[in-house]
Amino acid sequence: MARMKFLCDADRCIECNACVTACKNEHDVPWGINRRRVVTINDGKPGERSVSMACMHCTDAPCAAVCPVDCFYTTADAVVLHSKDLCIGCGYCFYACPFGAPQYPRVGNFGSRGKMDKCTFCAGGPEQDSTEVEYAKYGANRLAEGKLPLCAEMCSTKSLLAGDGEIIAAIYKERVIQRGYGSGAWGWQTAYRETITV
């Protein structure tokens, strides 16, 4: 079975926010919730990069590890989903997630929270596929229809890739080779701009 993954190529992202808009429109995401957002690093400076961020559907998801009611589960395609019926809105997953994926709608004055919401990789939720109940809670279930997440399909520069992790990795590896980065594209030298002597 395929392991579904996202990858955003920072060299291609132009911060157009088409991915954000596509997600909000496809799933009727409530105001104040952003399942996907574009983060810009070094904004307006040399080396500026933009990255489309959402739930990365981690193999060993920290959000699931800290949830006191075990509302998270992983599908056969390795998509991390949650049950809004089980969620108690405690916020532990928000603090555990390194990507800031869990979002909470404000349901009243004084900062009270509702049920957690996050990217579903357009895979719906635990309800029966493509039902009104599933759509109302989680949005469209595009994976059940044999489609990929709309955010990636709407990306005009094909910066945001979604699908089988092995295919995504092969596409990105080919891009890195074409750019001439070679083996220096990953690792310590890239992250810290230093060389290591061993």
Side-chain angles (χ1 to χ4, degrees), residues 104-183:
Y104 290 88
R106 291 185 157 259
V107 293
N109 299 331
F110 310 114
S112 58
R113 287 193 283 244
K115 304 286 186 170
M116 188 272 287
D117 193 87
K118 73 173 200 69
C119 166
T120 63
F121 206 88
C122 290
E127 280 75 14
Q128 185 176 347
D129 288 347
S130 304
T131 60
E132 287 183 28
V133 174
E134 181 187 49
Y135 184 82
K137 289 183 184 177
Y138 307 99
N141 189 338
R142 293 175 56 85
L143 283 189
E145 299 170 9
K147 300 175 182 175
L148 289 174
L150 191 62
C151 56
E153 286 192 9
M154 295 302 291
C155 183
S156 61
T157 62
K158 298 302 173 211
S159 165
L160 183 59
L161 303 173
D164 182 342
E166 290 182 18
I167 295 170
I168 299 299
I171 292 168
Y172 190 67
K173 181 179 180 180
E174 188 174 315
R175 288 181 183 179
V176 167
I177 291 169
Q178 286 179 349
R179 291 176 188 152
Y181 292 157
S183 62

Side-chain angles (χ1 to χ4, degrees), residues 82-120:
H82 71 292
S83 169
K84 288 189 178 184
D85 294 334
L86 295 176
C87 177
I88 58 173
C90 67
Y92 289 177
C93 57
F94 175 79
Y95 293 108
C97 177
F99 305 105
Q103 302 279 304
Y104 290 88
R106 291 185 157 259
V107 293
N109 299 331
F110 310 114
S112 58
R113 287 193 283 244
K115 304 286 186 170
M116 188 272 287
D117 193 87
K118 73 173 200 69
C119 166
T120 63

Side-chain angles (χ1 to χ4, degrees), residues 55 57-58 61 63-64 72-75 78-82 118-120:
C55 176
H57 302 280
C58 304
C63 56
F72 291 91
Y73 64 99
T74 305
T75 67
V79 176
V80 177
L81 298 176
H82 71 292
K118 73 173 200 69
C119 166
T120 63

